[in-house]
Structures are given as structure tokens and as C-alpha cells.
Amino acid sequence: MRRFVLIRCCLQHWWYFLLGMFLSYVLSLVIVRGNALIGDAIDTMLAGGLVEFHKFFLVLLFFMLVGTVGAFFKSFFLSKFSLLVQKDYKNLLAEKLYHLEYSYFDQNGSAAIINKMNTDIAEVELLLSAGLPGICSNVITMMVYAVFVGQIHLGLLVVIFTCYPFIFCFTNRIVKRIEYLKKDFRQKSDLITEISQDCISGILVLRTFLAEKYFQKKLARAADDLVENEEKRARISNTSILVKSMLQWLPNIICAVFAFFFVRSGKIHMGELVVFLMVLQRFVNEFVELPFYFVEIREHLVCVKRIEAILSESEEKSGTEKEGFDTEEVISFQEVGFSYIDGKEILKDLSFSIKQNYNVAFVGDSGGGKSTIFRLLCGFYHAKQGSYRLFGKEFETWDIEAARKKMALVSQNVFLFPVSILENVRYGNRDATKEQVVDACKSAGIHEFIMKLPKQYDTVVGERGVLLSGGERQRISIARAFLKNAPILLLDEPTSAVDVKTEENIQLALQRLGKEKTCITIAHRLSTIQKADCIFVIQDGKVVESGTHESLLLSNGAYTNLYGKENSKGE
């Protein structure tokens, strides 16, 4: 489990930040020395001495040049630090999302994850580019000014530090309230994003069932809650700004009065008074800004914690084995048990084995555990008990990516990216040439359809392939599996949502795809798996029967009942 990832990213580029802080020190020193030069000139003139203007001007010009160059490079180094840390942090977050356990996506809404990827990371950018450099630069500047004021007269420094500490007591109270409201704001923002995403993704359902007004009200309630939250935060922030102004001017006046008193009593010179008043204004600004930087940083840290929570999540388990044994049994389950987080047992002492190049099928009533078997086969979840072997080796020892290279999935819920057909098919093999993609589409029986499209293989399919029919999407998915050419083919009810004619075409494509492969099918339509070498009947997470279609019908058991139900529905 990884923690404080942002800190580690910052430490990797610490020297950029250190250079920026060193230049903050140089700039503060330049301001102090420049003001001291002016003060000395005033005292010299009041004492009747002569100030050589050209030397005085050249020194001031030198300070201005050093300050300008220093400010430029300070901004450059701190920007470089911020950009490099942001880049590393974003890359780590993106990489983490690819390796998170599948259960994380089951348990967390995609809208909340997207919000963290976009808006929360933007808050981190503000922390790195403004908050963190600002507070450190403030501290350095205040230290330089404090030393300078103490050199003029220690009493002036005591007056300043007596007037300002209660600022922190006040800001600490509002920080906690703002932090709570910021956290609440993020949660409400996640909800609005989730509702908006549901509206867009489910627009067909909303319009068909006339549910637009319901979602409008739902979104309006969420927006009202968000506005109410932000109104509270704005009131607190505005109050803090008002108090900030009071805190800035009242002690400022007090310090100035004491400074005049010191001049009158002869403890400091008039030139020192002028310098003190010039530095005091800068000192006060830095001092007053400091606690409010803490407020901003605490707000940003709310978002950092949300991102760090993702980075600390468990990753997919993966071993090191990349090849299995040349064994007759490709897949073997031995007394496998599994349950999801709700604790309900889905698989119970499940045992079966699948031989190489066999065509097998899993059938049974919904909820029996068929889809869970596929999730275990793909490594999305892991067995709670028992063992699962792939090519003779325990699945836990396999490198997860190497194991998945052995499998190609054709699902009933086909997902296509909003890119061209060529790119969608090429996800089966990113290194494939266009000729290989075309061959895969020919094998899947979709090539002729593609060639009739205006842009042919460059046709963009729309979000989730919405511009294509269900059968066309399915055949593109089959073409993707052809291109991968994995030894194990997983078919998750690939013809459940298509018409009879399309089903026949898809079945022909699947027969070509399944040649010389171990083919595993989940099916509700028993007519599609009658030629399987072995059919496993799953009930309540167990294999209750297995055999060929003919032998299972002769046994007059669970499979016969399923077959009878299907035929009665057909009638």
C-alpha cells in the first residue's frame, strides 16, 4: 500500500524547489539591502553629508537588475518543479488506475473516479504551483525581514510579533470549517457528475420512459445542495478577507506609532524609520498572507487525500510465470469457492477441467455463477478457496498480463471506443498491420459491410459503437478476437441480443474463430452449444451435470429441464 506519493514525487525534483527558495531569499535580501541603502542616504543628507548620486543610482540599478533576474529564474525553477511533479503524479495515478483490482471499479462509480482524475488533480496543480511555493517563500521572506528589523531595533521586532500571533488562532478556527465544506463540495460535485453522466449515457431510456423531468429534479436538488454548500464557504471566506484587512491595518498602525516613538526618543534614526516603514508594509503583507495560505493548502489537501486514497488501493495480484506447461488440461478448477464483498457465496466447491482444443459450455439459470467463472478465468477476481490452474500452473503464479494474452473474450456487452473501426479491431493486437486487420474482419464476416461505409475502415463508430447495430458491433468484437489469436476463446453469450439471421452469421464466424482453440462458452440459448464437446450445468455455484448434449438429455436431469423450458418458450 503506497502512501504520501505526492511527497515522494516532490522529493524527486527537490533541487528545483530548493533553487526557487534560494532565489526567494536572494530577492528578499535585495529588497532589504536596497531599502537600507535608501535609509543610509537619508541619514547622511540629514546629517549634512554629501550623497554621490551616480554611485547611489548605480548600486540601486544593480539591485534592480539582480532582483529582476532573480525573479525570472525563481519563477522558472518553481514552474519547472511544479510541472515535473504534476507529470509524475498524473502518470502514477493513470498507471494505478490500469492496475487497480477489478473490485474497485465495481464498488466506485465512474463519475467519482473521473472527477478525481480531472477536478481533484487540478487542485493538486494549484497546490504545487501556488500554495506550497507561496507558503515557503513567505516564511523565508519573513525571516529575512525579521532579521533586518531586529538589526534596526529589537523593540520593533517585539512589537510586530506581539501584534500578529492571534491571527493564527483565528484562522485555525475557519480552516477546519472550510476543510469540511471543501470535502462536502467534492462529494456533491461527484454526485452531479454521476447524474449528468447517467443522463447522457441513458438518454434513450430517459426519453422512451419520459423520465427527463425526474432526472431534471434530481440534478436540480444536487445543484441546490452544491450551491448552498458554496454559499456557506463563500460567507466564511468573505469574513476571513474582512478580518484579514482589519488584522493587516490595525497592527500596522500600532507598529508605526511605536516606530515614531523610538525616533522621538532617539533610539532609531529618521532614515531607519523610513526603511522600517517600507519594510513593515512588505513584512505585514507576508505575515498576514501566511495563515491564509494555510487555509488554501488545507483545501487543496482535501483533494490530495482523495487521490492518495486511490493510490493506496490494492493492485491486481500478479506472479512472474509467463508460460505454462504443455499439458492436456488447459484449465482446471479444484474445489473453488468465491463470494463478493456482500458475503453471499457464489461458487461452492466448484471443480471441473477443460482439455486443450475442446469446445465446452457453461449453462444454467441466471445467478448460478457462470459469469463469475469468467471473471476468475480472466483474473479479475481470485478464488477465496480452492485452486485454479492455467496450463498446469497455479493461476496465482502467473504474470497477469501473460495469462490474459492466452485468452480472447467475446462478450454480449460489446464495448467499442469512439474511434475508427480500424483502431477498434486493432485493440486485439496493437502491432497488427492494416492487412491483418482486414483479414480478421473477413474471417468475422464484417468486411463487406465495412467496405460499403463512406470512410470504410476509417469510419468512426461513435461512443460505445452507437452508430452500428448490435450484430455489427458483435462481429467487430469477433474480429478483434481473431486478431489477438489467443489459444483460449471465452464467449460470454455472444448471440444473446441479436436476431436469428445475425445469430447464424455470428455462429459461422465463431466456428471459424474457434478452430484449433480451447473454446469456452456461456450460453442461455442451448441451441447454440449443442455441438460442444462437453457441457457443464451450473446450479448454486456447483457443477451438477456434465457431458455432451445427447448424453445429458438421456440422463433426464437439470439440463433436460433447461432444454424443456427453452423449447416451451419457443412454442
Side-chain angles (χ1 to χ4, degrees):
M1 184 178 291
R2 297 188 290 182
R3 292 183 178 180
F4 310 116
V5 179
L6 183 60
I7 295 176
R8 291 203 293 274
C9 289
C10 290
L11 291 176
Q12 289 178 356
H13 306 287
W14 63 270
W15 68 281
Y16 282 111
F17 188 78
L18 192 63
L19 283 172
M21 292 302 103
F22 173 73
L23 289 172
S24 288
Y25 168 75
V26 171
L27 288 171
S28 303
L29 210 58
V30 165
I31 292 171
V32 164
R33 294 305 178 197
N35 286 329
L37 183 66
I38 295 172
D40 291 341
I42 292 173
D43 284 337
T44 301
M45 288 187 293
L46 289 175
L50 179 65
V51 176
E52 296 183 33
F53 180 76
H54 67 282
K55 289 184 178 180
F56 174 76
F57 179 75
L58 286 174
V59 175
L60 275 183
L61 192 62
F62 171 75
F63 281 139
M64 289 173 60
L65 181 63
V66 172
T68 302
V69 174
F72 171 79
F73 280 103
K74 173 191 173 182
S75 177
F76 171 78
F77 286 127
L78 291 179
S79 297
K80 187 76 172 177
F81 167 79
S82 174
L83 291 171
L84 289 174
V85 175
Q86 288 176 41
K87 175 187 172 185
D88 290 351
Y89 202 51
K90 288 178 180 179
N91 287 342
L92 286 172
L93 179 59
E95 182 183 354
K96 183 70 178 186
L97 286 173
Y98 289 123
H99 293 95
L100 282 173
E101 287 188 342
Y102 189 81
S103 58
Y104 179 83
F105 298 98
D106 276 349
Q107 297 165 25
N108 293 272
S110 58
I113 298 173
I114 292 170
N115 243 11
K116 291 172 185 176
M117 285 288 291
N118 294 330
T119 56
D120 285 13
I121 206 72
E123 293 280 343
V124 176
E125 292 173 9
L126 288 174
L127 172 65
L128 293 170
S129 61
L132 182 61
I135 198 169
C136 293
S137 181
N138 262 35
V139 171
I140 291 171
T141 303
M142 283 173 53
M143 289 173 64
V144 173
Y145 290 167
V147 170
F148 178 68
V149 171
Q151 288 173 345
I152 294 174
H153 194 285
L154 193 59
L156 292 174
L157 187 62
V158 172
V159 171
I160 291 174
F161 280 105
T162 302
C163 289
Y164 285 96
F166 71 93
I167 297 174
F168 291 98
C169 298
F170 168 77
T171 54
N172 186 53
R173 295 183 65 181
I174 66 173
V175 160
K176 291 182 180 178
R177 180 60 177 161
I178 288 179
E179 183 179 15
Y180 168 77
L181 290 172
K182 184 73 171 184
K183 188 181 296 184
D184 205 29
F185 166 78
R186 286 297 165 197
Q187 292 173 347
K188 294 179 187 301
S189 180
D190 288 347
L191 178 61
I192 287 180
T193 306
E194 184 178 331
I195 296 171
S196 301
Q197 183 174 304
D198 288 343
C199 288
I200 295 170
S201 301
I203 189 67
L204 182 65
V205 176
L206 293 184
R207 291 184 175 178
T208 303
F209 290 92
L210 304 177
E212 298 101 319
K213 290 184 179 179
Y214 168 75
F215 266 84
Q216 286 174 2
K217 291 178 181 178
K218 190 176 180 181
L219 186 60
R221 284 195 300 269
D224 288 342
D225 289 343
L226 186 66
V227 169
E228 182 181 350
N229 184 86
E230 288 306 279
E231 284 177 347
K232 292 178 182 177
R233 194 154 67 104
R235 283 197 296 269
I236 295 173
S237 297
N238 291 335
T239 303
S240 69
I241 292 171
L242 176 63
V243 174
K244 175 182 174 182
S245 299
M246 294 173 60
L247 293 173
Q248 184 171 352
W249 287 108
L250 290 177
N252 205 356
I253 295 170
I254 295 171
C255 291
V257 170
F258 270 92
F260 281 115
F261 173 77
F262 287 140
V263 172
R264 186 177 179 181
S265 61
K267 294 180 180 179
I268 63 175
H269 300 125
M270 183 60 70
E272 290 175 324
L273 172 64
V274 173
V275 174
F276 171 72
L277 291 177
M278 288 191 295
V279 171
L280 176 64
Q281 186 58 49
R282 293 179 176 274
F283 196 121
V284 168
N285 289 339
E286 301 292 338
F287 207 112
V288 173
E289 285 291 339
L290 186 62
F292 292 91
Y293 268 123
F294 281 112
V295 174
E296 291 179 11
I297 287 176
R298 290 285 287 270
E299 287 190 59
H300 298 326
L301 287 178
V302 171
C303 299
V304 173
K305 289 176 183 177
R306 281 160 53 95
I307 295 175
E308 293 280 329
I310 295 179
L311 293 170
S312 64
E313 287 286 338
S314 300
E315 295 187 1
E316 284 189 315
K317 297 176 182 177
S318 181
T320 57
E321 298 290 342
K322 294 190 175 182
E323 290 295 335
F325 298 120
D326 185 10
T327 176
E328 185 179 358
E329 282 190 352
V330 173
I331 291 170
S332 174
F333 273 43
Q334 295 296 326
E335 298 181 344
V336 169
F338 178 80
S339 60
Y340 293 102
I341 57 171
D342 59 5
K344 181 182 178 181
E345 197 172 19
I346 303 299
L347 302 180
K348 308 169 187 176
D349 298 324
L350 179 67
S351 298
F352 63 84
S353 61
I354 300 173
K355 294 182 179 180
Q356 191 170 8
N357 296 337
Y358 263 45
N359 179 5
V360 303
F362 290 97
V363 300
D365 293 327
S366 297
K370 301 186 298 299
S371 296
T372 300
I373 293 172
F374 267 31
R375 290 186 172 190
L376 294 181
L377 289 175
C378 294
F380 298 147
Y381 287 92
H382 294 270
K384 306 295 184 184
Q385 64 186 47
S387 67
Y388 156 35
R389 290 178 177 270
L390 177 65
F391 288 100
K393 290 185 179 179
E394 287 288 342
F395 193 80
E396 302 291 338
T397 66
W398 275 85
D399 176 277
I400 193 66
E401 292 185 358
R404 287 173 183 160
K405 283 182 180 179
K406 304 289 185 183
M407 305 175 193
L409 174 66
V410 178
S411 174
Q412 59 176 322
N413 300 314
V414 178
F415 184 91
L416 297 183
F417 294 92
V419 293
S420 68
I421 292 174
L422 179 70
E423 286 299 303
N424 268 293
V425 177
R426 195 174 270 159
Y427 276 107
N429 179 0
R430 299 300 299 168
D431 297 323
T433 63
K434 184 174 181 179
E435 289 71 21
Q436 290 173 316
V437 172
V438 171
D439 288 341
C441 289
K442 287 179 178 178
S443 299
I446 191 70
H447 174 72
E448 291 183 3
F449 165 77
I450 295 172
M451 295 305 293
K452 293 177 183 177
L453 297 172
K455 294 186 179 180
Q456 299 178 351
Y457 279 85
D458 292 324
T459 300
V460 176
V461 301
E463 188 173 1
R464 296 178 180 270
V466 69
L467 301 179
L468 302 177
S469 70
E472 289 156 2
R473 291 196 296 269
Q474 192 63 273
R475 278 180 280 181
I476 288 176
S477 173
I478 294 170
R480 189 188 289 167
F482 265 111
L483 200 62
K484 187 173 184 180
N485 195 30
I488 299 174
L489 179 61
L490 305 177
L491 306 175
D492 183 6
E493 302 186 42
T495 61
S496 61
V498 296
D499 57 70
V500 176
K501 179 62 178 176
T502 303
E503 179 182 354
E504 291 176 358
N505 293 331
I506 290 175
Q507 285 295 340
L508 290 173
L510 291 175
Q511 288 174 16
R512 291 192 292 270
L513 177 60
K515 285 184 179 179
E516 298 182 356
K517 288 181 173 61
T518 303
C519 188
I520 306 170
T521 305
I522 290 177
H524 277 148
R525 294 183 183 176
L526 303 186
S527 58
T528 62
I529 47 92
Q530 292 182 8
K531 295 181 180 179
D533 298 311
C534 184
I535 300 172
F536 296 101
V537 183
I538 306 293
Q539 282 187 353
D540 297 326
K542 293 182 178 181
V543 175
V544 294
E545 283 183 339
S546 64
T548 63
H549 171 72
E550 291 78 10
S551 64
L552 288 173
L553 286 179
L554 290 173
S555 67
N556 199 29
Y559 182 81
T560 306
N561 291 333
L562 290 172
Y563 191 73
K565 289 178 183 177
E566 181 174 307
N567 287 337
S568 62
K569 287 179 183 178
E571 294 173 1

